[in-house]
Amino acid sequence: MASSRVLLNTAATEEQRTEASVDLDEPVVKEEILPVIDFGLLAEGTPDQRSKAVRELNRACQDWGFFLLVNHGVPEKMREEMIDKFKGFFDLTPGEKGEYANTDVMNPIRHGTGFNTAVDDVRYWRSYLKTCVHPEFHSPTKPPGFRELLREYSTCIRNLGMKLLGGIWESLGLEESYMKEALELDSCYQVVVGNFYPPCPQPELATGLVPHSDHGLLTFLYQNGVDGLEVKHEGRWVRVKPSPNSYIVNIGDHMEIVSNGRYQSVLHRAYLNDRSTRLSIVSVVGASLETVVIPSLPLVSSDRPPAFRGMKYGEFVEYQQSHTLKEKSVLELLRV
Ligand SMILES: O=C(O)CCC(=O)C(=O)O
Ligand SMILES: [Fe+2]
């Protein structure tokens, strides 16, 4: 596979100036519309409307593993303020942000570039801030107001996530209360990540994020109106264009495990552009870090034996975060 190594040297800050190496032989990217799920019908529709929404959820999770969530109830003002506060964080001085730069991958607040700078072999045109917001809430104290807003925002996404999970369990024929207990969802692990991608002078030669799947059950992504997400669908990279106000939601590795492979996590990556700064806010909702996640017993039979070995979710996260980000490599270790 052809690869190019180039020193990107521009007006970018020292933090963003980086050596990048990316594969150039990927299949052609196409733009397609993701399936749309109306959360309003799931949460407040008539029984018929809810059943229809659950069937659509089933189709979207099976066919794509990615969908657009509309009528989700997260206020626009809160989303836009959250984007502004993350911008405010990335605009802090390197010294102020440096307080959160650390090498312990399970540290509850982490700022950095790339994915895991200790092991990355590709450098990224990206800065990030990761904060664990549940079961314990952590947040930087700067910029002013960030902490308060993040608390409100993450609670809103968690509540949305739990209700959406309810619809997904139903679509798999699973009992909500059973799943809540099996995954210890009252102490679910939730992390919020701000991804900051400044304009890149040679976007075709650098990368925002390499192809990967997310570790949790579900991921919610909101962006600042600048596109940059690509999803691997039926062997091709597809550019995703969310409708205004929608969340992009995707299935994570642990949904693949609990559903015993019925719903699969999907490879995605971030591409760059040379004009506009892109900011994405990603919220991952997963089981409790203490839970050993296994395929759900009602989805296991002699015809369909367990497809994955169990592993404590916390160990999975730690392993993924301390190794090079590489497609679905961690999940594959658990495949039977
Ligand atoms: O910024 C994006 O579009 C992708 C981010 C992402 O995949 C992640 O943070 O896991
Ligand atoms: Fe991701």
Side-chain angles (χ1 to χ4, degrees):
M1 201 178 278
S3 132
S4 170
R5 193 161 272 272
V6 61
L7 187 65
L8 293 158
N9 194 0
T10 65
T13 65
E14 193 60 44
E15 191 181 43
Q16 292 146 5
R17 194 176 302 141
T18 181
E19 193 183 343
S21 168
V22 287
D23 291 323
L24 302 173
D25 278 355
E26 286 293 329
V28 181
V29 172
K30 256 188 82 177
E31 203 170 284
E32 275 187 48
I33 308 288
L34 290 181
V36 176
I37 299 296
D38 185 336
F39 182 74
L41 296 183
L42 206 57
E44 286 160 8
T46 62
D48 278 358
Q49 287 172 325
R50 182 174 162 90
S51 303
K52 185 163 173 277
V54 168
R55 282 198 302 277
E56 286 171 357
L57 203 45
N58 178 269
R59 210 167 313 127
C61 292
Q62 255 175 24
D63 295 353
W64 275 87
F66 260 87
F67 53 87
L68 299 184
L69 193 68
V70 298
N71 291 326
H72 43 68
V74 183
E76 182 173 5
K77 186 161 173 279
M78 188 193 282
R79 284 178 270 134
E80 292 309 314
E81 279 177 6
M82 200 67 254
I83 292 271
D84 280 350
K85 291 290 178 209
F86 266 109
K87 254 189 214 137
F89 177 85
F90 292 113
D91 281 346
L92 295 174
T93 64
E96 287 171 310
K97 285 182 284 191
E99 197 184 319
Y100 303 108
N102 52 65
T103 49
D104 178 356
V105 294
M106 293 308 272
N107 201 292
I109 308 179
R110 290 180 72 212
H111 163 64
T113 55
F115 179 69
N116 175 357
T117 36
V119 295
D120 284 342
D121 51 5
V122 173
R123 300 272 187 83
Y124 299 79
W125 198 262
R126 163 190 184 242
S127 301
Y128 68 83
L129 171 68
K130 277 186 202 176
T131 62
C132 297
V133 292
H134 199 264
E136 260 177 46
F137 177 78
H138 299 270
S139 169
T141 48
K142 284 179 205 160
F146 187 100
R147 188 182 175 84
E148 293 71 20
L149 185 65
L150 180 65
R151 193 189 287 279
E152 225 187 311
Y153 180 78
S154 54
T155 303
C156 209
I157 297 289
R158 191 165 59 254
N159 292 338
L160 175 65
M162 290 304 143
K163 287 190 191 140
L164 187 58
L165 279 175
I168 291 185
W169 304 142
E170 192 175 330
S171 77
L172 286 165
L174 296 168
E175 277 284 326
E176 187 169 357
S177 54
Y178 169 82
M179 294 311 294
K180 197 170 162 219
E181 212 167 300
L183 299 173
E184 302 177 273
L185 291 177
D186 281 340
S187 40
C188 71
Y189 180 61
Q190 185 189 5
V191 50
V192 176
V193 186
N195 294 302
F196 180 76
Y197 310 99
C200 177
Q202 290 170 287
E204 68 290 356
L205 297 177
T207 188
L209 259 181
V210 294
H212 68 281
S213 55
D214 297 336
H215 53 70
L217 294 165
L218 290 179
T219 301
F220 294 79
L221 184 147
Y222 186 71
Q223 64 182 28
N224 68 338
V226 179
D227 295 336
L229 179 69
E230 286 171 350
V231 172
K232 192 93 177 240
H233 180 62
E234 295 176 348
R236 288 169 321 182
W237 285 106
V238 173
R239 292 205 160 173
V240 173
K241 189 156 193 59
S243 50
N245 293 319
S246 63
Y247 272 88
I248 301 173
V249 179
N250 65 280
I251 296 296
D253 293 338
H254 277 73
M255 183 60 80
E256 181 161 345
I257 297 175
V258 290
S259 70
N260 201 20
R262 280 162 178 82
Y263 294 166
Q264 295 176 4
S265 63
V266 179
L267 292 183
H268 54 284
R269 65 184 184 186
Y271 66 92
L272 302 160
N273 78 77
D274 57 5
R275 295 172 313 281
S276 317
T277 292
R278 174 163 186 259
L279 210 149
S280 68
I281 303 178
V282 166
S283 311
V284 176
V285 178
S288 150
L289 288 179
E290 298 306 317
T291 307
V292 175
V293 181
I294 53 167
S296 292
L297 296 182
L299 300 181
V300 171
S301 62
S302 51
D303 290 347
R304 218 159 165 152
F308 299 97
R309 283 181 290 114
M311 185 183 201
K312 218 189 228 190
Y313 179 42
E315 284 170 16
F316 187 108
V317 174
E318 186 163 359
Y319 189 90
Q320 192 213 35
Q321 301 285 310
S322 38
H323 288 76
T324 311
L325 193 57
K326 191 160 187 293
E327 306 208 327
K328 292 174 68 163
S329 53
V330 189
L331 183 65
E332 290 312 322
L333 294 176
L334 298 185
R335 198 178 290 280
V336 174

